[in-house]
Amino acid sequence: MADRQIDTLLLSVGHDLPYLSGYTAMPLERLTMLVVPRDADATMVIPRLEAARVTPQPGVFDLLPWGETEDPTAIVGTLSAGARRIAVGDQMWARFLVELLPHLPDASFTRAVDVVGPLRMSKDDAEIAALAAAGAAVDTIAGELQRGEIPLVGRTEAEVSAHLGRRIIEEGHQRVNFAIVAAGENAASPHHHAGSRVIRENEIVLTDFGGTMDGYCSDTTRCVFTGEIPADVAEAYAVLHEAQAAGVAAATVGTPCQDVDRAARAIIADAGYGEYFIHRTGHGIGLEEHEDPYIVEGNTLPLEAGHAFSVEPGIYVPGSWGMRLEDIAVATADGPRALNNSNHELVSVDA
Ligand code: ZN
Ligand code: ZN
Ligand code: ZN
């Protein structure tokens, strides 16, 4: 905060608050806010009825419950009095900020990610172990898919998505974050919403799924083919597979994030599919499924040991098919470590 000339940090709903306090605020209209002044003790302003949910952390923050007839933004205003520059969490609701503005007429506002982002990006051993456990759980499900143990042909995308969601919970996650299932031409839309489309024989089925286990997220993408793989699809997939492996291999400590993107993208572009790779190569992952660092052209941030992120190039041919291959990787002093290890091939399934 001193480096960034930030006087006070205000964190509400979102992931910065649990990262610093261990408490996840309910995403409701009643204000919960951790007030962190640079030179004084931190205070968590919390609805009185929620106070019992907080595990007290003496010496970390004080708890200040507010009653139903009080104005919590006035309380935050008082605690922040004199602050000239205030950093707010990305996911704080606009409502809270709008209500705070009149209480802090002399303050300017900036994003808390400047302070909390670098802390959250550098995962410690326990965080990496949590990501690895979540990753191993979704790998188990990917294996079932690839062995034909999850029925596909004749079911709708939505039914397969629900199946994946159930398995995500059974494998130890507390929450399903997404279970994209996209068949055939639908796979050309990277974030396709699984719907009533029935999966047929002889088409690609893209699955991208993950959840949250003990606070940390999983996220993996595997494609299977319901029949014999045609030459054009096999050819494109071989390029994708090589590009994904090159992205992971490039993710060494000190390498700028954009160079990981370039390593994967160059292979796809050189093979003539460049126009069909329509998104960045990856995103950081941790408490949130998408967080810093982003693996994208323009991000010159050098990777540090402990940075965790996806490497997920794709090739999307509108109206025909799409494919993506995604692993979570961690930069370590010993080189890149992939946290997903299910089969990387495009497997032909009888399912
Ligand atoms: Zn995504
Ligand atoms: Zn994904
Ligand atoms: Zn992802």
Side-chain angles (χ1 to χ4, degrees):
M1 289 169 72
D3 287 351
R4 309 267 175 186
Q5 284 96 46
I6 288 165
D7 300 313
T8 297
L9 205 58
L10 298 180
L11 304 175
S12 184
V13 290
H15 296 84
D16 295 333
L17 177 64
Y19 183 81
L20 290 182
S21 71
Y23 176 70
T24 304
M26 276 185 146
L28 294 176
E29 76 292 351
R30 290 188 182 98
L31 179 138
T32 298
M33 196 167 283
L34 185 68
V35 181
V36 188
R38 191 169 72 201
D39 301 314
D41 293 339
T43 303
M44 189 184 292
V45 178
I46 187 159
R48 191 175 302 283
L49 77 165
E50 312 276 19
R53 300 179 59 229
V54 181
T55 307
Q57 305 223 34
V60 180
F61 59 84
D62 298 324
L63 212 54
L64 182 51
W66 57 273
E68 296 281 59
T69 59
E70 288 182 274
D71 174 4
T73 51
I75 296 170
V76 172
T78 303
L79 289 169
S80 310
R84 307 292 301 199
R85 206 167 139 75
I86 295 179
V88 299
D90 276 1
Q91 288 143 333
M92 175 195 294
W93 289 2
R95 171 189 176 154
F96 298 153
L97 185 55
V98 167
E99 289 175 352
L100 261 171
L101 290 174
H103 295 289
L104 298 162
D106 299 324
S108 67
F109 290 83
T110 184
R111 291 174 61 204
V113 69
D114 292 339
V115 175
V116 185
L119 302 174
R120 283 181 49 190
M121 252 193 292
S122 293
K123 270 74 181 178
D124 64 22
D125 291 347
E127 292 180 288
I128 292 168
L131 287 167
V138 288
D139 283 358
T140 299
I141 303 165
E144 292 167 359
L145 193 73
Q146 293 171 325
R147 287 192 300 273
E149 293 167 13
I150 296 178
L152 297 174
V153 173
R155 287 172 111 188
T156 65
E157 294 169 339
E159 285 168 336
V160 176
S161 176
H163 186 138
L164 293 174
R166 281 194 302 277
R167 292 292 298 121
I168 286 169
I169 298 298
E170 286 166 3
E171 287 299 319
H173 294 75
Q174 285 78 40
R175 196 173 70 217
V176 179
N177 293 332
F178 48 84
I180 296 169
V181 176
E185 73 289 345
N186 284 344
S189 169
H191 277 174
H192 174 68
H193 183 78
S196 58
R197 161 78 152 80
V198 175
I199 298 169
R200 300 188 287 260
E201 283 183 7
N202 299 309
E203 63 183 7
I204 201 160
V205 180
L206 182 156
T207 65
D208 181 353
F209 50 97
T212 303
M213 184 192 285
D214 301 329
Y216 285 81
C217 293
S218 59
D219 183 6
T220 192
T221 305
R222 291 295 184 268
C223 297
V224 294
F225 203 91
T226 56
E228 203 179 314
I229 302 165
D232 62 331
V233 172
E235 202 174 288
Y237 194 89
V239 172
L240 178 70
H241 188 174
E242 188 188 342
Q244 201 273 342
V248 173
T252 52
V253 170
T255 301
C257 289
Q258 67 178 5
D259 287 20
V260 176
D261 181 88
R262 287 175 182 179
R265 196 169 301 278
I267 288 168
I268 290 174
D270 288 350
Y273 299 101
E275 65 176 299
Y276 301 123
F277 181 12
I278 54 175
H279 55 70
R280 66 189 176 213
T281 291
H283 53 81
I285 189 166
L287 293 175
E288 255 175 297
E289 54 269 57
H290 288 190
E291 61 180 45
D292 284 316
Y294 291 97
I295 308 301
V296 63
E297 181 68 30
N299 187 1
T300 57
L301 179 80
L303 288 174
E304 290 172 21
H307 284 181
F309 44 88
S310 71
V311 178
E312 52 176 309
I315 299 174
Y316 310 95
V317 181
S320 300
W321 47 259
M323 52 179 65
R324 177 164 67 255
L325 181 59
E326 175 180 26
D327 291 335
I328 303 306
V330 183
T332 81
D334 302 324
R337 174 186 169 199
L339 299 186
N340 295 106
N341 298 290
S342 63
N343 191 346
H344 289 80
E345 302 288 339
L346 177 61
V347 179
S348 169
V349 292
D350 183 15

